[in-house]
Amino acid sequence: MRDYLKFYIDGQWVEPKGSKTVDVINPATEQVAGRVTLGTAEDVDLAVRAARKAFASFSRTSREERVDLLERIVVEYQKRFEDMAKAITEEMGAPSWLAQRAQAAMGLAHVQTALQVLKDYRFEEDRGATRLVKEPIGVCAFITPWNWPVNQIACKVAPALATGCTMVLKPSEVAPFSAWIWTEILAAAGVPAGVYNLVNGDGPTVGAALSAHPQVDMVSFTGSTRAGIEVARNAAPTVKRVHQELGGKSPNILLDDADFQRAVAGGVASVMMNSGQSCNAPTRMLVPQARMDEVIAIARTAAEAHTVGDPNGNAKLGPVVSEVQWNKIQGLIQKGIDEGATLVTGGPGKPEGLETGYYVKPTVFANVTSDMTIAREEIFGPVLAILGYDGVDQAVEIGNDTEYGLAAYVSGTDLDQVREVASRLRAGQVILNGAGPDLMAPFGGYKMSGNGREWGDHAFGEFLETKAVLGYSAKIAAE
């Protein structure tokens, strides 16, 4: 049992103002794995005031001081790497191999990337007699999700520290263990008191209080589009900056000259990874209508090779995070059947022999049309929808026929055509021919997938204000 009942405010672990707790359920066992306290508006106010007080000095630190701080965080994170990976497996069900190679690894990688960017980032530039200065925006509120918990914490906190901001973090109450370990890492690294604060809680209470707080200058939220809208509404009266990374329903266009064995199998694997709980998963596979039967055969084989089971074992897929999510996914799978999509493999119910745990069968639907629910709603489970198209223009039209625009994928042999199709897709990130992740590439979406960008040097801009100082160069101004 992990009883993480305190909050981290102003450099100290402190008792919360309220006493209400919530159980954290291990999704593989359906047993209570720990508890956290649900914070109150009073806890939020104390944390924000600590961050506001610390901003006066931390915002004035030198580049060298912040480089040194991030280097210390890297060292402390490396010491706790195994602890972090185990906590993620326990709190949200990621298989241990995925928790180590991707989940925990991404948290460390974001700190290392921010460190790399900070060393050379231009905070000042002169244009004639005017100096343009990029300054830290102030106190930031971070509201993070459960699906890639420390990844989403680190890709906000690391650039915020690098740019001289102070902050309050509210991690998901569904998967809060990794946030506690992250906080211990920052404390061990010597982050100054008040610069980083942790308050656990739920969205309607702590999330809303952070979003609305008049001394918060920016709120960065990752989660559902529905919740993102509420964050923006709460933030509007104080005209603070709102950064959102929200939902997705990403198209994966396979052009007729693609290597279908590789592209279909790779697309299936991308959807199934993390049990389908990734906002940028390529959940709509678009293929030439004439090759639908070929694609179905490859997709069936690929999906059925994805073993489901104990996340501490060798299975490729662990459980989804909670009973709430399991029920939602089951409802959408049934909706696909009811609306006439072809069920290729998987389907409703738990995999055989896995009655305990929130396990979902790797599921593939084919002959899906754009008006079907499974082609429009984000399922957030290991469920792939295959749609047919006639001609490249229709593929692009179907690809863009969504309220989301987080990511898109294109595969084909003719690179010029692949690039041309990519240029027509309305998405914040387009992945060509299965390209791997790039930590320096900006991550964020068009349309209802949010606004603003994370990762790499683009993340720095989210945490900076621009000041123009006219007449800075007296000599040039006088000429």
Side-chain angles (χ1 to χ4, degrees):
M1 280 283 291
R2 299 173 187 252
D3 276 349
Y4 292 162
L5 301 179
K6 293 184 177 182
F7 299 153
Y8 189 75
I9 298 175
D10 205 14
Q12 301 290 328
W13 291 101
V14 300
E15 295 290 340
K17 295 302 178 181
S19 58
K20 186 177 180 181
T21 63
V22 62
D23 290 337
V24 180
I25 306 300
N26 181 326
T29 65
E30 301 185 37
Q31 299 299 309
V32 176
R35 295 182 302 159
V36 293
T37 306
L38 295 177
T40 66
E42 187 177 359
D43 295 304
V44 168
D45 187 62
L46 289 171
V48 171
R49 290 181 183 280
R52 173 58 61 195
K53 180 181 177 183
F55 181 72
S57 57
F58 191 68
S59 64
R60 305 294 294 174
T61 55
S62 67
R63 181 197 308 267
E64 291 71 25
E65 288 174 299
R66 298 196 299 277
V67 163
D68 182 61
L69 175 59
L70 290 176
E71 287 177 339
R72 296 198 307 269
I73 293 172
V74 167
V75 171
E76 295 300 329
Y77 195 112
Q78 289 169 333
K79 293 178 184 177
R80 301 295 302 277
F81 190 93
E82 291 297 323
D83 293 340
M84 181 67 76
K86 289 177 181 177
I88 293 170
T89 295
E90 187 175 3
E91 69 187 354
M92 57 77 61
S96 56
W97 66 266
L98 182 67
Q100 291 191 3
R101 296 182 205 170
Q103 291 268 8
M106 286 297 287
L108 177 59
H110 283 304
V111 181
Q112 293 169 324
T113 300
L115 175 59
Q116 176 187 344
V117 173
L118 175 58
K119 290 178 179 178
D120 299 312
Y121 194 83
R122 292 186 65 186
F123 290 98
E124 299 178 352
E125 70 171 289
D126 292 332
R127 294 185 181 178
T130 298
R131 171 158 288 189
L132 301 182
V133 183
K134 295 180 180 179
E135 300 180 337
I137 193 169
V139 176
C140 303
F142 296 145
I143 304 171
T144 58
W146 46 259
N147 60 317
W148 285 86
V150 79
N151 169 74
Q152 288 302 137
I153 292 170
C155 75
K156 299 179 192 298
V157 172
L161 290 173
T163 53
C165 294
T166 60
M167 64 214 70
V168 181
L169 169 68
K170 187 208 88 67
S172 169
E173 70 276 23
V174 176
F177 298 161
S178 51
W180 183 281
I181 294 171
W182 168 265
T183 302
E184 291 179 332
I185 289 168
L186 266 59
V191 174
V195 169
Y196 167 88
N197 304 271
L198 168 73
V199 177
N200 281 308
D202 60 19
T205 305
V206 173
L210 278 170
S211 303
H213 201 290
Q215 291 191 44
V216 168
D217 301 292
M218 171 194 179
V219 56
S220 179
F221 170 82
T222 299
S224 71
T225 298
R226 175 194 54 77
I229 292 169
E230 290 305 309
V231 167
R233 283 177 175 154
N234 291 329
T238 50
V239 200
K240 56 173 60 71
R241 184 178 296 175
V242 178
H243 167 266
Q244 300 165 314
E245 196 267 282
L246 308 175
K249 195 69 182 176
S250 302
N252 181 11
I253 298 176
L254 276 57
L255 300 174
D256 195 46
D257 66 346
D259 178 343
F260 272 62
Q261 186 65 49
R262 178 176 178 272
V264 174
V268 169
S270 293
V271 170
M272 301 304 163
M273 189 180 72
N274 206 40
S275 297
Q277 300 169 124
S278 299
C279 48
N280 62 339
T283 50
R284 291 185 299 142
M285 183 179 288
L286 281 55
V287 304
Q289 190 68 54
R291 302 186 68 174
M292 181 65 73
D293 289 345
E294 175 188 354
V295 170
I296 286 173
I298 299 170
R300 177 186 292 112
T301 300
E304 291 176 355
H306 281 73
T307 54
V308 184
D310 182 358
N312 292 300
N314 297 317
K316 288 188 178 181
L317 274 70
V320 296
V321 74
S322 67
E323 184 179 15
V324 170
Q325 286 299 117
W326 190 88
N327 287 331
K328 175 193 172 188
I329 294 163
Q330 296 302 309
L332 286 165
I333 290 173
Q334 188 60 51
K335 196 82 168 176
I337 295 170
D338 294 343
E339 292 183 357
T342 301
L343 180 62
V344 174
T345 189
K350 294 182 179 181
E352 186 176 352
L354 292 172
E355 287 74 24
T356 299
Y358 306 123
Y359 295 100
V360 177
K361 298 174 185 176
T363 298
V364 176
F365 285 101
N367 298 307
V368 177
T369 56
S370 287
D371 59 339
M372 292 181 181
T373 303
I374 58 171
R376 307 209 70 81
E377 290 191 18
E378 185 177 37
I379 299 173
F380 231 55
V383 182
L384 171 65
I386 304 175
L387 298 83
Y389 68 81
D390 295 308
V392 173
D393 288 344
Q394 188 184 38
V396 171
E397 181 182 354
I398 294 171
N400 287 331
D401 183 18
T402 173
E403 65 185 12
Y404 297 112
L406 185 58
Y409 301 71
V410 187
S411 292
T413 301
D414 183 345
L415 189 55
D416 287 338
Q417 185 183 38
V418 169
R419 290 168 173 164
E420 195 273 335
V421 170
S423 73
R424 299 168 62 187
L425 294 171
R426 299 282 295 167
Q429 195 170 90
V430 185
I431 295 88
L432 308 185
N433 288 320
D438 178 357
L439 284 159
M440 289 297 291
F443 186 84
Y446 288 22
K447 299 187 281 187
M448 293 191 77
S449 287
N451 51 71
R453 294 295 181 268
E454 295 180 316
W455 298 32
D457 57 333
H458 275 76
F460 277 43
E462 299 295 329
F463 302 105
L464 296 168
E465 289 280 22
T466 300
K467 176 186 289 182
V469 185
L470 283 66
Y472 188 90
S473 176
K475 181 179 179 181
I476 295 176
E479 290 176 353

